[in-house]
Amino acid sequence: MFRSAIMNYRAFALMGIIGLTGAWQSAHAHTRLKTPVIQENAANHGSNYNDVVIGHGCQNTTDGASTIDTLGTVVVFPDGKDSIITTGTVDGAAHTGTLSDFVTNWGSPVTIIQDSSVFSHQEYIKDSLGNKLGFWTGGGKVLKAGYRGVFPFTTAGVVIEPTSCAKSVTFVVAIADICEITDTSGFSNATVQLWTPAVGSIYDGVGLHGYNSPATLKVTRSIAPLPSSCGDGVDVFVKPSKAQLERDLRINFNGTQIWPK
Ligand SMILES: [Cu+2]
């Protein structure tokens, strides 16, 4: 009797904890990568399977709850050419050299995994050389508010420059979850969720729900040991530039830009 009372009490306490955790998660489940930290991958044709996870839809203007369905999402990785490279922290000291000082093979990081279980269309976002820097997916069904969406892709193997002092390289990803197709002046918590680094682009979303809260992919050093002269090594951060976001973070469909309008 006493024992089962304790068990009941424990179960009740546990439910309370889970309930609290659940509430906390639903308030904070921003759009992120399912696997945000990976190791270097030097295998031939090496790749890492991942997903963009949309945690919630857009917010209605009545009570601010995330009750608005999502129509599509756009995902862009830094191109590594005109990217913003810092060391120490994501807003740390600017690195004056190039990404190749830290990463030997960044070029075409993204491969789409074909899937139409939520949205019907998937298309690459490429640079002028054909490098696959991201993708958009949308159309067909909506992602219903209150449900989560998982959008699969792979990242190419990343090799950290063996002679560098990088102990990790974190790529900052720009994502826009679109709930209503508008022009940039129509961006609001009800029309779009912008998970972008604030780099001064038209996609900063100052004051909006996801302001300066982008998803990241951290690649940790795991192949060549740090040179002894490096001490503890350095964390490196790579953000897409304003110029890249304003070029690449958009939806082109059959040669016509449909988002933003
Ligand atoms: Cu959120």
Side-chain angles (χ1 to χ4, degrees), residues 34-229:
K34 188 173 186 179
T35 306
V37 182
I38 61 174
Q39 292 195 328
E40 278 184 271
N41 184 343
N44 284 340
H45 312 296
S47 58
N48 290 85
Y49 288 79
N50 214 323
D51 302 274
V52 171
V53 181
I54 297 183
H56 59 68
C58 297
Q59 292 84 47
N60 73 67
T61 53
T62 307
D63 67 359
S66 299
T67 57
I68 302 176
D69 299 342
T70 306
L71 308 179
T73 189
V74 192
V75 181
V76 170
F77 278 74
D79 63 11
K81 292 172 211 158
D82 63 355
S83 304
I84 299 160
I85 303 171
T86 55
T87 55
T89 69
V90 71
D91 296 314
H95 175 66
T96 51
T98 65
L99 182 59
S100 62
D101 294 343
F102 300 116
V103 174
T104 66
N105 64 336
W106 188 257
S108 192
V110 172
T111 301
I112 294 172
I113 296 174
Q114 186 173 335
D115 179 44
S116 58
S117 56
V118 181
F119 300 133
S120 53
H121 295 280
Q122 297 172 289
E123 222 166 277
Y124 282 112
I125 292 170
K126 298 178 186 173
D127 68 10
S128 58
L129 301 173
N131 293 310
K132 296 162 182 166
L133 301 174
F135 64 92
W136 67 265
T137 179
K141 287 178 279 185
V142 299
L143 173 60
K144 290 196 277 186
Y147 290 56
R148 291 197 180 174
V150 173
F151 302 93
F153 70 104
T154 70
T155 49
V158 175
V159 178
I160 292 177
E161 167 55 46
T163 62
S164 80
C165 290
K167 62 179 175 181
S168 74
V169 180
T170 298
F171 295 92
V172 176
V173 188
I175 300 177
D177 300 332
I178 299 154
C179 300
E180 184 184 329
I181 292 178
T182 68
D183 59 18
T184 53
S185 66
F187 288 174
S188 74
N189 284 338
T191 63
V192 68
Q193 304 283 293
L194 295 167
W195 311 105
T196 54
V199 293
S201 85
I202 57 174
Y203 301 108
D204 277 7
V206 179
L208 299 185
H209 177 77
Y211 177 67
N212 205 18
S213 177
T216 52
L217 180 69
K218 180 178 186 177
V219 181
T220 59
R221 187 170 185 135
S222 53
I223 299 174
L226 270 177
S228 55
S229 58

